[in-house]
Amino acid sequence: MTTLLSMTRRNIKLFFHDKGLFFTSLITPLILLVLYVSFLGNVYKDSIMAFFPEGITVSERIVDSVAVGQLISSILSVSCVTVAFCSNMLMVQDKVTGAALDIAVTPVKRAYLSLSYYIATYVSTSIICITATLVCLAYANAMNSYIGFREAVLLLSDVLILAMLGTAVSSIINFFLSSQGQISAVGSMVSSTYGFVSGAYMPISQFSPVLQKIISLLPGTYGTSLMRNHAIASTLDVMEAEGIPTEIVEAIRDGFDLNIYFFGNRVGVGGMYAVLLLTVLLLIVIYVVINCTCKKVRK
Amino acid sequence: MKNIIEIQNLTKTYGSLTAVDNLSFKVKEGELFAFLGVNGAGKSTTINIMCSALAKDSGSVIINGNNIDTDSDKVKNDIGVVFQSSVLDKSLTVLDNLQSRGALYSLHGKELRQRIDEVARLLDFSDLLKRTVGKLSGGQRRRIDVARALLHKPKILILDEPTTGLDPQTRSLLWKVISNLQKSENMTVFLTTHYMEEAADADYVVILDGGKISADGTPYELKTKWARDTLTLYGVDTESVEGLGIPFERLGDGYKLYVSSPHETKTIVIENGFDDFELAKGKMDDVFLAVTGRELLGGDGK
């Protein structure tokens, strides 16, 4: 255990010593926030207004609050995975610098070594994503959103869970990489596709039925939906309290992926937690097993 | 003396390239063993297999009585490696590096700190512990590399071109420390080097070419077999030297002749009454050149 802690400490120190890597990882979600606010704020508001038939009025604060919820849940769900890919470079860096060979000639257990990379990446990813979440919550507060303390805490816990998922996925993929170029290429691919396949850039309900079924097989989808629930549900409660018909509120839940369906069956929030946590556990086991199986490094 | 390393029929291929070809050799405990060869001869591949960091295709490797296939952890505990280039974390301090590497051998807390202080005194870098590795000079960094390899008190120290590019002072310090450890701890030193004067001090030498052993023996045996002694005669005229019927070359004030044995030298000197002469044994450079047909270039020229 002391060996695991020592290796984890080494990996975390190496990450934070690379100021460029840390700030680049941190600035990515903040840039996303600025871009979303600048370019998609009105699009989101229009898409919300489309749910209200003529004759039904809704306050501007409610519309803004739903838009803010959609916006920050999109940014954070994508960031947890993309930031994990940015942060999870040490495993490959160690291969490039020769440190991996230096470690391979020691009797350290491969399981400890792989877990030390995982934990270090998780810690750095979480620190960056929690910082981004706090900025997003400050923005939501400034926009007079209905996101309260409870929702804020739930969103922070979602970020921690999704960071686990992002770290696990990136750890498995990066295990097979051996150069900085490969890592950059994979990072770019993930950044450009993950937002779509997890329903962060566009609600899944707008995809074709076949695509919806495929996307429902991916665990990241449930992470986005979980965040949508925690970022928007309180506003929907206010809507219902203000007398907006339940059918409209329910349509918004479906339209913005607060309700998510697995082959026609609605998955509740508890189910989303279960999918995410079980997937994380499974991926960590796979990651440790491949580390222990492919134990010889080639120079 | 028992054999601390026993390698039998070791083979390793990369696709169609055979890096190590049915290699067999033994290293005795406590000796300085020089493993020579041009770049690509298979030295590093053999070392990586010995350290259990690289899978072999076939053959057996026994280190201190433990088979790398079944007891790799025991083998790893017996080996310390100084790689060709520094593999420490450049952005961390010397202390951070030694602490994180020590932990890999289950060294922690006071025990680890004491050992770090011990190797720091041994290699004279106590004042560098708080310095960042990336900001150290090449010689300072090399001392830390050696310290890292010695942290867990290995029985075998593998030095893969340890002194390439180092200043004479650092080379001398490293060899002094290593020689002392070899004597005091009966530590076996497995050396690859491009400096033939370092190989000349070895107890046993193996020259590798194309993954196979081209020659092996003590430096004396190798020099006797593969290199010719040189006899330099002074105070003689050209006619006397020509009369010997041996190829020679003019060298400043004297004449340099290549002789095949000390006996031949004795005969030449006594029979011709030469009284001012100099006899030099063949060098390891000559041995290497004769065995491989190639020169082993040190430093930047390698």
Side-chain angles (χ1 to χ4, degrees):
Chain A
M1 188 52 89
T2 321
T3 302
L4 174 63
L5 286 176
S6 182
M7 280 309 287
T8 305
R9 194 163 48 235
R10 174 240 179 203
N11 296 345
I12 292 172
K13 273 187 181 176
L14 278 173
F15 179 82
F16 286 104
H17 267 91
D18 191 341
K19 303 280 186 300
L21 185 59
F22 173 65
F23 285 112
T24 312
S25 305
L26 181 63
I27 214 162
T28 308
L30 302 182
I31 288 174
L32 271 177
L33 178 65
V34 173
L35 291 176
Y36 266 75
V37 171
S38 310
F39 296 103
L40 294 175
N42 288 334
V43 176
Y44 283 167
K45 284 180 197 170
D46 290 344
S47 66
I48 295 157
M49 291 306 293
F51 284 94
F52 295 94
E54 271 186 46
I56 292 182
T57 53
V58 61
S59 72
E60 198 174 329
R61 186 182 172 194
I62 286 179
V63 174
D64 283 348
S65 187
V66 175
V68 166
Q70 192 184 3
L71 189 147
I72 65 173
S73 57
S74 298
I75 293 168
L76 294 177
S77 64
V78 171
S79 297
C80 289
V81 174
T82 53
V83 168
F85 271 87
C86 278
S87 312
N88 204 348
M89 298 180 102
L90 189 61
M91 212 189 322
V92 179
Q93 259 174 8
D94 278 353
K95 289 180 196 170
V96 174
T97 61
L101 184 63
D102 194 30
I103 294 167
V105 301
T106 71
V108 67
K109 298 266 177 292
R110 300 293 302 176
Y112 285 177
L113 183 64
S114 52
L115 282 176
S116 76
Y117 284 125
Y118 180 89
I119 296 169
T121 304
Y122 177 64
V123 169
S124 47
T125 303
S126 296
I127 289 172
I128 291 165
C129 290
I130 291 288
T131 308
T133 309
L134 294 176
V135 173
C136 286
L137 289 172
Y139 169 72
N141 190 49
M143 295 298 291
N144 210 13
S145 142
Y146 287 105
I147 295 174
F149 178 75
R150 181 176 170 275
E151 289 75 29
V153 171
L154 287 170
L155 271 173
L156 286 168
S157 71
D158 296 344
V159 163
L160 293 176
I161 294 171
L162 266 181
M164 276 189 216
L165 179 73
T167 305
V169 174
S170 62
S171 296
I172 291 174
I173 292 174
N174 289 1
F175 175 81
F176 297 99
L177 309 181
S178 56
S179 72
Q180 304 279 19
Q182 289 172 353
I183 259 206
S184 301
V186 169
S188 303
M189 276 193 285
V190 171
S191 301
S192 55
T193 55
Y194 183 78
F196 285 103
V197 298
S198 67
Y201 292 159
M202 272 176 71
I204 298 164
S205 56
Q206 293 182 16
F207 293 151
S208 70
V210 176
L211 209 50
Q212 282 186 37
K213 283 197 172 65
I214 293 170
I215 287 174
S216 72
L217 295 170
L218 304 174
T221 310
Y222 300 92
T224 307
S225 182
L226 196 61
M227 284 196 169
R228 291 260 199 271
N229 272 283
H230 294 147
I232 300 176
S234 58
T235 311
L236 299 184
D237 291 343
V238 173
M239 269 191 204
E240 283 185 314
E242 287 192 0
I244 305 280
T246 312
E247 302 79 56
I248 294 177
V249 175
E250 209 48 39
I252 292 175
R253 282 184 194 281
D254 280 343
F256 287 151
D257 297 337
L258 277 79
N259 289 339
I260 201 154
Y261 299 90
F262 183 76
F263 289 90
N265 300 307
R266 186 167 163 258
V267 179
V269 168
M272 294 175 197
Y273 277 122
V275 168
L276 287 171
L277 291 173
L278 286 173
T279 306
V280 167
L281 191 65
L282 178 69
L283 291 177
I284 291 174
V285 170
I286 292 172
Y287 166 64
V288 172
V289 167
I290 56 172
N291 263 278
C292 294
T293 316
C294 310
K295 61 180 180 182
K296 306 279 184 188
V297 294
R298 179 175 166 169
K299 197 187 179 193
Chain B
M1 269 194 291
K2 72 164 187 172
N3 292 322
I4 198 160
I5 300 172
E6 292 180 359
I7 292 183
Q8 283 291 324
N9 307 113
L10 181 68
T11 299
K12 174 70 186 175
T13 55
Y14 296 110
S16 59
L17 175 76
T18 304
V20 177
D21 191 0
N22 203 29
L23 186 67
S24 300
F25 65 87
K26 289 170 185 169
V27 180
K28 288 190 165 55
E29 187 174 21
E31 77 177 3
L32 171 57
F33 180 91
F35 198 49
L36 308 179
V38 292
N39 291 330
K43 305 186 300 289
S44 295
T45 302
T46 307
I47 288 174
N48 287 344
I49 293 170
M50 282 165 56
C51 301
S52 241
L54 184 68
K56 59 186 168 54
D57 293 344
S58 61
S60 76
V61 178
I62 311 286
I63 309 281
N64 197 27
N66 299 305
N67 192 316
I68 60 161
D69 294 330
T70 51
D71 294 308
S72 67
D73 282 357
K74 284 183 186 167
V75 168
K76 287 172 174 183
N77 267 316
D78 283 338
I79 288 179
V81 191
V82 177
F83 292 100
Q84 275 177 27
S85 48
S86 182
V87 288
L88 294 174
D89 301 316
K90 291 184 180 55
S91 58
L92 300 185
T93 64
V94 172
L95 187 60
D96 283 339
N97 266 288
L98 295 178
Q99 281 178 331
S100 64
R101 296 302 202 268
L104 300 172
Y105 294 93
S106 301
L107 293 170
H108 305 289
K110 272 188 183 171
E111 186 195 3
L112 175 57
R113 186 58 214 236
Q114 276 173 1
R115 184 63 187 148
I116 290 172
D117 289 339
E118 216 173 296
V119 291
R121 273 196 304 276
L122 195 67
L123 286 149
D124 193 23
F125 65 84
S126 300
D127 55 329
L128 301 177
L129 285 172
K130 295 279 162 74
R131 294 265 301 273
T132 307
V133 167
K135 291 181 179 162
L136 299 179
S137 70
Q140 289 170 329
R141 213 178 289 174
R142 213 59 181 140
R143 279 186 276 158
I144 315 301
D145 290 332
V146 175
R148 177 258 171 271
L150 294 173
L151 267 182
H152 59 293
K153 299 185 177 174
K155 287 190 170 62
I156 302 164
L157 180 64
I158 296 177
L159 302 164
D160 197 358
E161 295 174 28
T163 53
T164 302
L166 292 187
D167 60 273
Q169 197 184 348
T170 309
R171 280 174 71 180
S172 162
L173 170 71
L174 286 184
W175 276 115
K176 197 173 138 195
V177 170
I178 291 162
S179 300
N180 285 343
L181 282 171
Q182 199 193 343
K183 284 169 197 150
S184 62
E185 311 282 329
N186 198 28
M187 189 173 72
T188 308
V189 180
F190 188 102
L191 168 76
T192 79
T193 182
H194 281 128
Y195 295 112
M196 287 299 110
E197 66 268 30
E198 290 176 347
D201 292 336
D203 296 303
Y204 201 81
V205 177
V206 161
I207 300 175
L208 208 60
D209 195 15
K212 292 179 178 173
I213 292 177
S214 298
D216 64 330
T218 64
Y220 174 75
E221 287 167 350
L222 288 172
K223 283 190 271 191
T224 303
K225 184 175 179 185
W226 294 95
R228 286 184 298 169
D229 297 348
T230 54
L231 172 66
T232 308
L233 300 171
Y234 299 101
V236 292
D237 53 39
T238 311
E239 276 181 9
S240 309
V241 179
E242 280 175 345
L244 297 171
I246 299 172
F248 68 93
E249 58 183 277
R250 185 79 200 249
L251 197 73
D253 295 336
Y255 297 88
K256 186 173 168 186
L257 291 78
Y258 289 96
V259 288
S260 56
S261 67
H263 178 74
E264 187 186 1
T265 306
K266 199 170 145 188
T267 310
I268 292 170
V269 169
I270 292 172
E271 283 185 0
N272 295 281
F274 296 136
D275 51 12
D276 191 359
F277 62 91
E278 188 177 289
L279 177 66
K281 288 295 288 178
K283 292 178 184 169
M284 283 302 291
D285 285 298
D286 303 324
V287 172
F288 192 87
L289 189 62
V291 170
T292 65
R294 280 166 285 187
E295 273 187 271
L296 194 54
L297 300 173
D300 298 334
K302 70 176 181 177

